[in-house]
Amino acid sequence: AQTVTQSQPEMSVQEAETVTLSCTYDTSESNYYLFWYKQPPSRQMILVIRQEAYKQQNATENRFSVNFQKAAKSFSLKISDSQLGDTAMYFCASFLRDYKLSFGAGTTVTVRA
Amino acid sequence: KAGVTQTPRYLIKTRGQQVTLSCSPISGHRSVSWYQQTPGQGLQFLFEYFSETQRNKGNFPGRFSGRQFSNSRSEMNVSTLELGDSALYLCASSKDSYGYTFGSGTRLTVV
């Protein structure tokens, strides 16, 4: 079974500052995908960023970037220049060949004005 | 482009009843997955369909079932509802199975 662990239940950050969310996963497969999803109070899950395991280069989407350490099975998300609209629950997820996303428990991020 | 549409948004049912939830994927997306989200268990995979075939099923009792139609629309059914089935049910669709777009979910409350 695929296990995804998010060890930080809650994080708080001042507007315009940077916050980093941790995620580790466990798989014996060599090819897989990793994702960060955001779920605001509206409850819609929104894809933030995606990383393909065979790509060494870390993915970046505007203010969001990841630090993918394949050997350590670590996939952290950095949110730069935090905005009030970033307040949400963030989920790390993995995708193997079994057609399912395995999610971590989530990290609640609160951006303070 | 229309997103993933789930209906209804909210539902209240009584224990023992059955319920059917609907999901219309993004046009052109042939893979549809269902997830259950609860405060205690988090997000759990229910099943995934591609071209009307179930390719994977999560660890849920047989009361939970689903299907996909030829137009890729999907339904999930829960029979003999229990209080513990109260949850947010999320549907997601994908074109290539490697980037899922989620709907807004159906909030099911069992009383």
Side-chain angles (χ1 to χ4, degrees):
Chain A
Q2 176 76 331
T3 303
V4 178
T5 302
Q6 293 179 251
S7 58
Q8 305 151 312
E10 295 181 15
M11 299 281 283
S12 180
V13 61
Q14 194 72 31
E15 197 174 8
E17 295 193 342
T18 296
V19 63
T20 300
L21 311 183
S22 302
C23 173
T24 58
Y25 59 94
D26 183 21
T27 180
S28 57
E29 297 199 16
S30 59
N31 194 22
Y32 47 89
Y33 289 76
L34 298 168
F35 305 89
W36 279 98
Y37 278 91
K38 166 186 175 181
Q39 187 177 39
S42 67
R43 81 193 190 196
Q44 173 128 32
M45 295 280 280
I46 301 164
L47 178 63
V48 175
I49 201 164
R50 177 177 104 169
Q51 175 79 42
E52 295 156 41
Y54 63 87
K55 289 187 177 179
Q56 292 188 333
Q57 186 173 5
N58 290 324
T60 300
E61 285 289 340
N62 300 314
R63 298 181 294 105
F64 298 88
S65 61
V66 298
N67 183 4
F68 174 48
Q69 301 290 327
K70 192 171 183 179
K73 298 182 180 175
S74 170
F75 183 60
S76 61
L77 174 71
K78 184 170 79 172
I79 307 174
S80 304
D81 185 25
S82 296
Q83 300 175 0
L84 296 178
D86 295 333
T87 292
M89 188 87 151
Y90 287 80
F91 292 94
C92 178
S94 66
F95 186 88
L96 306 178
R97 292 173 296 172
D98 55 359
Y99 310 114
K100 73 175 187 183
L101 289 163
S102 295
F103 288 91
T107 297
T108 300
V109 173
T110 303
V111 181
R112 306 186 309 273
Chain B
K1 166 167 138 174
V4 178
T5 303
Q6 289 189 247
T7 55
R9 290 290 307 272
Y10 300 91
L11 206 49
I12 300 175
K13 289 287 188 178
T14 304
R15 272 181 302 174
Q17 287 187 313
Q18 76 164 13
V19 67
T20 299
L21 311 182
S22 180
C23 173
S24 294
I26 290 172
S27 178
H29 286 194
R30 294 164 66 188
S31 171
V32 175
S33 301
W34 289 88
Y35 294 83
Q36 181 196 65
Q37 186 176 23
T38 60
Q41 299 298 316
L43 283 149
Q44 293 187 287
F45 171 76
L46 281 157
F47 21 66
E48 190 266 359
Y49 290 90
F50 183 86
S51 293
E52 302 178 69
T53 299
Q54 185 183 89
R55 296 195 294 188
N56 198 0
K57 185 178 191 302
N59 188 25
F60 279 83
R63 300 184 296 107
F64 290 80
S65 63
R67 59 178 175 170
Q68 186 181 33
F69 301 96
S70 58
N71 62 358
S72 293
R73 191 178 71 85
S74 178
E75 289 181 347
M76 68 162 282
N77 184 279
V78 187
S79 62
T80 320
L81 283 165
E82 300 178 359
L83 295 178
D85 297 333
S86 294
L88 178 66
Y89 290 88
L90 292 166
C91 170
S93 75
S94 174
K95 187 174 182 180
D96 55 11
S97 292
Y98 298 129
Y100 281 91
T101 301
F102 282 81
S104 296
T106 294
R107 172 77 66 186
L108 171 65
T109 302
V110 182
V111 297

